[in-house]
């Protein structure tokens, strides 16, 4: 496997990395502003700017407004310096994107994660599509920094293994040496983290000019996944606990978890795709009337897609089930707010993108149950990148290696 340290070595020294990072965090910036932000001398900064420009890492992008003397030269990151692949591996779909250093998407493709989509099937597809994208856009492999991978946890991000994820339809996803497999086939470095962490990296980078210091991300879908960024850095625990938010106990004598190792009364048992489908099946078996009955022959055939279709028709049962799940999710969200006190919460995943009712209900419940409200004001968002967040964030993870010491 190619070493990711090769990426960091593209920028020669600590001060050059510092200047480059300052430039990348802003759309354009003048030398005067860089002097204020870096605290460097004029001669040192001038030398570093010339060095970064000659390498093609930054560009001179015109002149700023005059403050009485000569108009200052503006600098910006060169998005065409290199390119990155971002890969999402999730339970319902996997997605590959090709981006430049400005995180502008040049190409992308996704695959539905069916019962046949094992690593032996998916990895060759990823390699084939990555090579097709490079050929289509005329990009030599030498111009690719690497591939970032955001996968369902738990993962061993240091050694590049997907460990033992739950609820994949296909077999073979235990202890997958995913970074080595892709790095070997493509001839580029590969990095791995769990998908919640890559998603919050993407959202944090997208709003890098804003003043939010503490961001919480929750992905609500087949399971519940969370991550947090503080001062622009992902917070890591002793082990990869991406899915642990789903094990939050909200009812001590509640329903058993679908996994025998899960907690009774866990949040995930009340607010997830599985929980919503289970509630709908149970209600229909009890004889409840619903538009769902016109979509299926048997209650066991109900899927989340059916429920969303019924919700669009304002079906009372669908509204009731989604509202109840969102209420439980809001309670769990309030618990996180009362412990972590983030400034902003970004919520993504199928439960959020599939239903405005879920998002509005959950956030209203969370606000009502948050301690110190209204003195403590939290901002809720669906995020700016939507379904692209996990894959784009995986690319951001690779880009960040340029400034790593």
């Amino acid at each position: 496997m190619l070493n990711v340290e090769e990426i960091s070595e593209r920028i020669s020294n600590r001060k050059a990395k510092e200047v480059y990072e300052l430039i990348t965090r802003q759309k354009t910036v003048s030398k005067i502003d860089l002097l204020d932000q870096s605290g460097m001398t004029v001669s040192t900064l001038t030398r570093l700017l010339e060095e970064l420009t000659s390498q093609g890492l930054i560009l001179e992008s015109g002149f700023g407004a005059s403050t009485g003397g000569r108009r200052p030269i503006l600098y910006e990151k060169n998005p065409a310096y290199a390119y990155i692949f971002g890969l999402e591996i999730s339970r319902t779909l996997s997605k590959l994107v090709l981006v430049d250093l400005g995180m502008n998407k040049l190409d992308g493709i996704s695959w539905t994660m069916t019962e046949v989509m094992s690593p032996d099937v998916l990895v060759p597809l990823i390699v084939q599509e990555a090579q097709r994208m490079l050929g289509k856009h005329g990009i030599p492999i030498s111009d690719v920094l690497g591939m970032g991978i955001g996968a369902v946890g738990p993962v061993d991000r240091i050694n590049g293994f997907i460990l033992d994820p739950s609820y994949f339809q296909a077999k073979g996803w235990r202890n997958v040496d995913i970074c080595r497999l892709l790095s070997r086939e493509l001839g580029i470095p590969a990095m791995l983290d769990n998908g919640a962490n890559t998603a919050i990296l993407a959202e944090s980078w997208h709003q890098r000019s804003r003043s939010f210091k503490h961001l919480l991300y929750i992905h609500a879908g087949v399971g519940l996944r969370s991550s947090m960024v503080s001062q622009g850095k992902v917070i890591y625990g002793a082990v990869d606990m991406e899915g642990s938010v789903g094990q939050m106990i909200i009812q001590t004598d509640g329903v058993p978890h679908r996994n025998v190792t899960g907690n009774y009364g866990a949040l995930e048992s009340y607010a997830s795709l599985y929980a919503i489908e289970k509630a709908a099946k149970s209600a229909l078996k009890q004889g409840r009337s619903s538009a769902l009955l016109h979509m299926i022959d048997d209650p066991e055939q109900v899927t989340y897609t059916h429920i969303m279709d019924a919700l669009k028709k304002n079906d009372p049962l669908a509204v009731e089930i989604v509202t109840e799940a969102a209420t439980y999710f809001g309670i769990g969200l309030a618990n996180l707010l009362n412990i972590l006190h983030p400034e902003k919460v970004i919520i993504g995943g199928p439960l959020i993108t599939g239903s405005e009712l879920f998002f509005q209900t959950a956030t209203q419940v969370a606000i009502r149950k948050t301690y110190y409200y209204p003195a403590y004001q939290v901002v809720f968002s669906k995020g700016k990148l939507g379904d692209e967040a996990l894959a784009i964030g995986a690319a951001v993870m690779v880009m960040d290696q340029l400034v790593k010491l």
Side-chain angles (χ1 to χ4, degrees), residues 230-250:
S230 183
Q231 306 287 351
K233 305 295 182 183
V234 174
I235 304 299
Y236 289 102
V239 295
D240 182 16
M241 298 296 287
E242 174 203 38
S244 60
V245 65
Q247 292 298 318
M248 180 191 303
I249 299 170
I250 58 172

Side-chain angles (χ1 to χ4, degrees), residues 197 200 214-215 227-231 233-237:
N197 284 345
I200 200 171
H214 308 291
L215 301 176
S227 63
M228 190 166 185
V229 161
S230 183
Q231 306 287 351
K233 305 295 182 183
V234 174
I235 304 299
Y236 289 102

Side-chain angles (χ1 to χ4, degrees), residues 323-400:
T323 300
E324 181 175 8
T327 300
Y328 279 116
F329 184 82
I331 292 170
L333 184 54
N335 289 338
L336 292 173
L337 297 179
N338 289 330
I339 295 169
L340 301 173
H341 302 104
E343 294 172 276
K344 184 172 184 176
V345 178
I346 302 167
I347 313 174
L351 285 182
I352 303 304
T353 58
S355 169
E356 182 66 22
L357 174 64
F358 190 96
F359 178 80
Q360 294 297 334
T361 302
T363 53
Q364 288 168 14
V365 170
I367 288 171
R368 288 197 299 268
K369 296 185 178 297
T370 298
Y371 199 50
Y372 285 131
Y373 180 81
Y376 166 45
Q377 293 278 351
V378 64
V379 177
F380 293 104
S381 170
K382 294 181 181 180
K384 302 296 184 183
L385 298 171
D387 293 339
E388 304 270 82
L390 275 74
I392 295 291
V396 171
M397 175 174 63
V398 174
M399 179 185 68
D400 284 347

Side-chain angles (χ1 to χ4, degrees), residues 125-396:
L125 291 174
I126 295 168
V127 172
Q128 177 183 328
E129 285 300 322
Q131 292 171 339
R132 179 194 65 79
M133 291 178 189
L134 294 180
K136 174 184 174 182
H137 296 278
I139 299 171
I141 195 68
S142 57
D143 283 355
V144 180
L145 278 188
M147 175 178 286
I149 307 163
V152 174
V155 301
D156 178 350
R157 63 187 181 88
I158 303 299
N159 296 304
F161 278 80
I162 297 174
L163 295 177
D164 191 15
S166 302
Y167 317 128
F168 272 77
Q169 293 188 56
K171 304 295 184 182
W173 283 101
R174 185 176 183 183
N175 294 325
V176 180
D177 193 358
I178 192 68
C179 284
R180 182 185 62 82
L181 290 172
L182 289 168
S183 179
R184 181 186 64 194
E185 293 297 322
L186 289 169
I188 55 176
M191 298 181 64
L192 173 69
D193 206 336
N194 71 57
N197 284 345
T198 64
I200 200 171
L201 273 178
E203 296 290 354
S204 178
W205 184 87
H206 187 76
Q207 54 193 1
R208 59 198 178 280
S209 61
R210 300 290 299 277
S211 59
F212 295 112
K213 295 180 180 179
H214 308 291
L215 301 176
L216 173 67
Y217 175 82
I218 302 176
H219 185 275
V222 174
L224 302 181
R225 304 151 70 183
S226 67
S227 63
M228 190 166 185
V229 161
S230 183
Q231 306 287 351
K233 305 295 182 183
V234 174
I235 304 299
Y236 289 102
V239 295
D240 182 16
M241 298 296 287
E242 174 203 38
S244 60
V245 65
Q247 292 298 318
M248 180 191 303
I249 299 170
I250 58 172
Q251 191 169 327
T252 55
D253 60 345
V255 299
H257 195 270
R258 57 182 151 157
N259 189 322
V260 293
T261 62
N263 289 323
Y264 282 89
L267 178 60
E268 199 171 84
S269 297
Y270 298 88
S272 63
L273 297 186
Y274 167 82
I276 288 176
E277 290 176 350
K278 181 180 177 183
K281 292 173 184 178
S282 176
L284 293 177
K285 289 175 182 177
Q286 292 170 12
R288 296 284 299 275
S289 97
S290 170
L292 290 166
L293 294 171
H294 304 295
M295 305 177 190
I296 55 170
D297 297 321
D298 185 292
E300 285 296 325
Q301 297 174 339
V302 168
T303 65
Y304 180 69
T305 301
H306 291 137
I307 299 165
M308 290 301 99
D309 288 343
L311 186 64
K312 292 174 184 175
K313 300 175 183 177
N314 290 318
D315 176 64
L317 180 61
V319 171
E320 175 187 321
I321 289 171
V322 171
T323 300
E324 181 175 8
T327 300
Y328 279 116
F329 184 82
I331 292 170
L333 184 54
N335 289 338
L336 292 173
L337 297 179
N338 289 330
I339 295 169
L340 301 173
H341 302 104
E343 294 172 276
K344 184 172 184 176
V345 178
I346 302 167
I347 313 174
L351 285 182
I352 303 304
T353 58
S355 169
E356 182 66 22
L357 174 64
F358 190 96
F359 178 80
Q360 294 297 334
T361 302
T363 53
Q364 288 168 14
V365 170
I367 288 171
R368 288 197 299 268
K369 296 185 178 297
T370 298
Y371 199 50
Y372 285 131
Y373 180 81
Y376 166 45
Q377 293 278 351
V378 64
V379 177
F380 293 104
S381 170
K382 294 181 181 180
K384 302 296 184 183
L385 298 171
D387 293 339
E388 304 270 82
L390 275 74
I392 295 291
V396 171

